[in-house]
Amino acid sequence: MKPFEQIVREHGPAVLRVCRAVLGPDAAEDAWSETFLAALGAYPDLPEGANVQAWLVTIAKRKAVDQHRSAARNPLPVNDIPEPPPAAAPADTDGLWTALKTLSVRQREALAYHHLAGLPYAEVAQLLGGSEAACRRSAADGIKKLRTLYEEDRNGIL
Amino acid sequence: MASYDSAGAGPGGTDTAAADTSGTRLLAPDPREAAVLAALHTRLAADAEPAGLLDVAYTVIDSPVGRLILAATDAGLVRVAFEGEGVDTVLQDLSTRISPRILEAPGRLARPAAQLREYFDGTRRSFDLDLDLRLTAGYRRTVVQTLQQIGYGRTSTYAGIAALTGNPGAVRAVGTACGRNPLPLVIPCHRVLRSDGTTGGYRGGPAAKKILLDLEAAA
C-alpha cells in the first residue's frame, strides 16, 4: 500500500478543485481538510487496487452534503444578482466562484466530479442519484452556462 | 465502493478534462494552489496527531553526510535513512512494515533533528531519544542493542561485537545486522570496523562512514 503522504500529493490538487467548484473558495479548505483526515483514518482498510480518486471524491461529497446542510440551517443573505468579478477574472477563483454560484448544486457537482475528478458518468450517477444521462445533461448544462458567462466576461459584459 | 475497483476507469485526469471545452478552462489550477495545498498539508498533519491517526511521521534534513530521512512512531524514532536509500523506497518500506498512515510532519522529529545537528556540530556525544526498535528483531536486534555500548570516538570490530553478544562465530551475521541497522548515526554502527583496520561497508556509503569517524576523532 502506498504511503498516505503520496496519496495527498497525487490527489490533493484535484480534490481541492472539486471542493472549490462544489462549495466555493471559503468552504473548500475546510471540506478538503475533513476529507483527507477521514481518508487517513479509513485508508488502511481500502481494498488493494481501488480507484483512490473516486474514493476520495465520495468522501468529499459526504463532507459537501454536511456543509450544504449546515448552510441551509444557518442561511446567509444572498444577492440574487451575482457581483461582477474583478478585472482579472479568468485566473481568479473568486471570480470563477461567482460564475459557478449561478449553477445549481447538482450542475456544479456533476461538472466537478466528471471534469475535475475524472469520474465516468456512471460513477457520477451513483454519487448524485438519477440516471447517467441526467448527470451528463447536468454537467453539459453547467459547462454551457459557464462558457456563456466566460464569453460575456471576456467581453466585459458581466 | 465496489464500483470503484477498476483503477483508471475514468475519462482521464484534469489535464484531459481541462482541454475539453472553453468552459472548463475556467477551472484550471490557479497560481496560489501550491501555497494553499502546502498550508492544508500542514493542517492535516496537525489534525492527524491528536486524532491518533499519524502512525508514522517523517521529515528530511540536511547533514554533512547528505540528506537524512527521519521517521518516528508515537513510541519514538523508528528509522534514520540516507538519501541514497531513496525517500520513496524508505517510505514504501515503512508503509509495508509499520502502517500506510504516513505523513511528512516535522514536529514529531524536532528533537531527533536538533540532536543530530548538535552531533554534526561536535557539541553532542550521545543521543537522548526514545527509540522504537520494531524494525529489527532476533539476533540482529541483539547486535543493534550491543552497538549502543560503543562510546563516542571509540571503535570496535565485527568480531568484537560478535564476542560481546556471546556468539563469537557470528562475525558475518554482525556485519549483516550493522548493514540493516534501522537507526544509523543514533545507534553507532559506523564505529564498527574490520579486524584488519579497514573501515568496512556502511549503509550510507564508505565515504559517509569516514566522515563520521573523522568527526568523532577530531572532537
Side-chain angles (χ1 to χ4, degrees), chain B residues 15-16 21 27 43 54 56 80 97-98 127 129-130 135 142 169-170 179 182 192 199 206 210 218:
Chain B
D15 292 344
T16 321
T21 68
L27 304 171
R43 177 174 163 190
L54 188 54
V56 182
V80 174
R97 295 173 70 189
I98 301 177
F127 293 96
L129 297 168
D130 290 326
L135 292 176
T142 306
V192 187
T199 49
K210 187 164 187 316

Side-chain angles (χ1 to χ4, degrees), chain A residues 131-148:
Chain A
S131 71
E132 195 178 321
C135 290
R136 187 185 298 273
R137 224 162 26 242
S138 293
D141 289 348
I143 289 287
K144 193 172 156 191
K145 195 163 178 185
L146 269 190
R147 192 188 290 137
T148 310

Side-chain angles (χ1 to χ4, degrees), chain A residues 99-116:
Chain A
L100 281 167
K101 257 194 306 197
T102 66
L103 273 53
S104 71
V105 172
R106 195 183 166 82
Q107 285 172 341
R108 290 206 301 269
E109 286 192 315
L111 189 155
Y113 301 152
H114 180 73
H115 289 286
L116 297 182

Side-chain angles (χ1 to χ4, degrees), chain B residues 16-102:
Chain B
T16 321
D20 207 270
T21 68
S22 65
T24 46
R25 267 210 308 274
L26 274 173
L27 304 171
D30 82 284
R32 291 166 301 181
E33 190 177 88
V36 171
L37 283 164
L40 286 172
H41 184 290
T42 303
R43 177 174 163 190
L44 175 62
D47 289 349
E49 180 91 62
L53 295 176
L54 188 54
D55 294 343
V56 182
Y58 81 93
T59 193
V60 181
I61 63 168
D62 286 320
S63 88
V65 292
R67 295 203 308 158
L68 299 171
I69 305 144
L70 312 181
T73 63
D74 57 3
L77 189 65
V78 75
R79 186 81 164 86
V80 174
F82 297 94
E83 188 175 14
E85 296 178 59
V87 178
D88 290 347
T89 307
V90 170
L91 295 182
Q92 186 59 61
D93 183 60
L94 293 171
S95 176
T96 306
R97 295 173 70 189
I98 301 177
S99 163
R101 286 183 185 141
I102 300 176

Side-chain angles (χ1 to χ4, degrees), chain A residues 46-83:
Chain A
L46 187 68
E48 200 68 32
N51 181 338
V52 175
Q53 189 143 309
W55 173 68
L56 289 169
V57 169
T58 307
I59 299 171
K61 156 79 181 164
R62 279 204 301 271
K63 300 299 174 193
V65 169
D66 293 347
Q67 294 218 6
H68 282 308
R69 273 199 199 122
S70 85
R73 275 196 303 272
N74 310 296
L76 293 168
V78 175
N79 294 329
D80 285 340
I81 302 155
E83 292 284 320

